Amino acid sequence: MDAKRWWPPFAEIVALVWIVLFVVDVAIVVDVLAASESLTETIRTVLQWLLVVFLLDVALLYRWSEHDPRGFVRSNWFLVLTVVPWFRPLRLLRIGRSIRALRQLTGIRRVGSFVNKVRRKCHSLWHRL
């Protein structure tokens, strides 16, 4: 199987599992949910192991990219930030927002042209830094 194809959906599923387990862990800590000590320890152990998956996610994405480490971080700073699981849901928001914006802008030629010019200018300015 091609890892580039199955890894991203797998990483998103792991992120959702992490979020659910994190919420359950917080609920146990604030006494909203009652659980045994062994279940609490199991949840925390699984949360720690899932962090390894998030680090592996960034490592694989870097490996599959054609950038040096500095270029990878510059062009994928948001991705690197979302390695921290608390920020992972932001990635889903970014995708949804981008899709909505593209749908709206594709119908307006002048706006699409303007947005592309601004994007190119920002990109060139960013690389000068």
Side-chain angles (χ1 to χ4, degrees):
M1 285 187 7
D2 184 23
K4 285 184 182 182
R5 192 181 68 207
W6 64 263
W7 180 260
F10 171 75
E12 295 305 323
I13 290 169
V14 169
L16 291 174
V17 169
W18 190 93
I19 291 167
V20 168
L21 289 176
F22 180 75
V23 168
V24 168
D25 186 44
V26 169
I28 291 170
V29 169
V30 296
D31 291 328
V32 172
L33 193 66
S36 67
E37 187 65 33
S38 63
L39 178 62
T40 304
E41 285 302 314
T42 302
I43 289 173
R44 290 185 181 148
T45 302
V46 171
L47 286 171
Q48 290 174 350
W49 278 106
L50 291 179
L51 287 175
V52 173
V53 174
F54 297 133
L55 293 173
L56 181 61
D57 183 36
V58 170
L60 285 174
L61 294 173
Y62 166 68
R63 175 79 170 102
W64 294 330
S65 76
E66 296 178 3
H67 297 290
D68 63 339
R70 186 173 158 192
F72 177 77
V73 172
R74 278 171 118 183
S75 62
N76 296 297
W77 64 269
F78 189 78
L79 173 75
V80 172
L81 177 67
T82 60
V83 162
V84 180
W86 296 281
F87 297 119
R88 194 105 180 157
L90 296 176
R91 190 184 291 183
L92 297 174
L93 294 174
R94 180 180 177 199
I95 291 168
R97 187 180 66 218
S98 299
I99 290 171
R100 279 193 307 274
L102 285 174
R103 283 182 185 164
Q104 291 175 352
L105 292 177
T106 54
I108 305 169
R109 187 173 181 169
R110 283 187 179 170
V111 173
S113 175
F114 174 74
V115 168
N116 282 331
K117 287 178 186 176
V118 170
R119 184 187 57 80
R120 283 192 301 268
K121 187 63 175 177
C122 290
H123 185 71
S124 69
L125 290 173
W126 178 255
H127 283 291
R128 289 182 189 168
L129 294 176

